[in-house]
Amino acid sequence: MEQGDKVKVYCANGKVFEADKVICTLPTFALKNIDWKPGLPENKIEALNELQYARINKHAMLFDKRFWKSENFDMVTDQLPHYFYHATQGQSGSSGVLISYSIGDKAAVIANQNDMTNFKSVQETLQPVFGDIKPYLKQQANYYWGNDQRSHGSYAIYDPGQWFRVRPILKEPFMHTHFAGEHLADWQGFMEGAIVSGEEAAGEF
């Protein structure tokens, strides 16, 4: 990212983009890996290093029968598959998707297990309520944001005091570059908030 009279973005594939202004929506980990010319201010670098991201694991399971019956089904447990919710709510058809959502150390444990082991945990957690659910499983997929190459986490977690101290520094424009993303949104942690933050950044021009 080279800034002078204008801003130039040099991509790894050799493409170069030039503009009067740029809105950067990258999470902090990816943003730190940009070669900034000139370099970012020291206080912004410190803020980027300080903000942490949540370790989240999502395990999506497609079942050919909605055995949970209730369209607005969700469930909190004290097991590795910590939270379940119905992801195909309101959609037609007899099949449906349940997502198991885990955070922190639980997410890290699940991320290091294969699908068969993960589903066994899900089956054991749901069995007391729904019985044997294995015959209904059609497909499953698992994703752990802690290993994501661009974010190293899912959404930003602000510690006490950081919202009013770190966030304004991260949001501050740097030359021709303005910043947005879920970590800078009032509705923080959600993609809807990220969109609003992008609109706000565009309004700064």
Side-chain angles (χ1 to χ4, degrees):
M1 185 81 76
E2 187 177 275
Q3 301 190 86
D5 293 336
K6 292 192 173 185
V7 55
K8 288 185 178 180
V9 180
Y10 295 85
C11 303
N13 62 8
K15 292 184 177 181
V16 180
F17 299 90
E18 183 177 85
D20 294 323
K21 300 284 185 180
V22 166
I23 297 177
C24 178
T25 62
L26 293 173
T28 58
F29 180 80
L31 201 150
K32 287 187 293 184
N33 289 322
I34 294 175
D35 183 11
W36 294 87
K37 295 180 180 179
L40 292 172
E42 190 64 31
N43 67 337
K44 192 176 285 288
I45 293 173
E46 291 174 358
L48 290 170
N49 289 330
E50 189 172 342
L51 185 62
Q52 299 297 306
Y53 278 64
R55 293 177 296 162
I56 300 291
N57 189 92
K58 282 190 175 181
H59 185 186
M61 297 157 286
L62 173 63
F63 295 94
D64 59 14
K65 177 182 178 181
R66 299 184 183 185
F67 56 83
W68 52 92
K69 297 181 181 178
S70 175
E71 278 294 288
N72 62 351
F73 171 78
D74 66 350
M75 175 179 174
V76 178
T77 83
D78 58 358
Q79 305 300 307
L80 279 178
H82 174 69
Y83 173 61
F84 292 89
Y85 64 93
H86 177 199
T88 45
Q89 185 177 152
Q91 298 181 26
S92 60
S94 58
S95 61
V97 173
L98 272 188
I99 290 184
S100 167
Y101 181 96
S102 302
I103 62 174
D105 291 340
K106 289 182 177 181
V109 170
I110 291 173
N112 289 297
Q113 297 176 342
N114 60 33
D115 283 348
M116 184 179 296
T117 303
N118 285 338
F119 183 72
K120 183 179 179 182
S121 293
V122 169
Q123 188 174 17
E124 290 173 351
T125 301
L126 296 179
Q127 193 275 334
V129 180
F130 299 109
D132 185 12
I133 63 171
K134 189 174 182 180
Y136 307 130
L137 181 69
K138 295 176 66 177
Q139 194 174 352
Q140 60 182 320
N142 194 72
Y143 194 79
Y144 176 53
W145 270 272
N147 291 335
D148 188 276
Q149 293 182 352
R150 292 178 177 83
S151 66
H152 279 210
S154 56
Y155 51 77
I157 298 180
Y158 282 88
D159 286 338
Q162 287 186 329
W163 184 259
F164 296 107
R165 180 176 55 82
V166 173
R167 183 172 172 260
I169 297 172
L170 294 174
K171 197 170 184 179
E172 178 104 15
F174 175 54
M175 300 182 69
H176 303 300
T177 305
H178 296 247
F179 298 94
E182 67 79 21
H183 61 296
L184 300 178
D186 289 334
W187 193 0
Q188 191 261 316
F190 296 90
M191 57 186 172
E192 291 86 356
I195 293 169
V196 172
S197 76
E199 293 172 343
E200 292 175 349
E204 296 172 354
F205 294 173

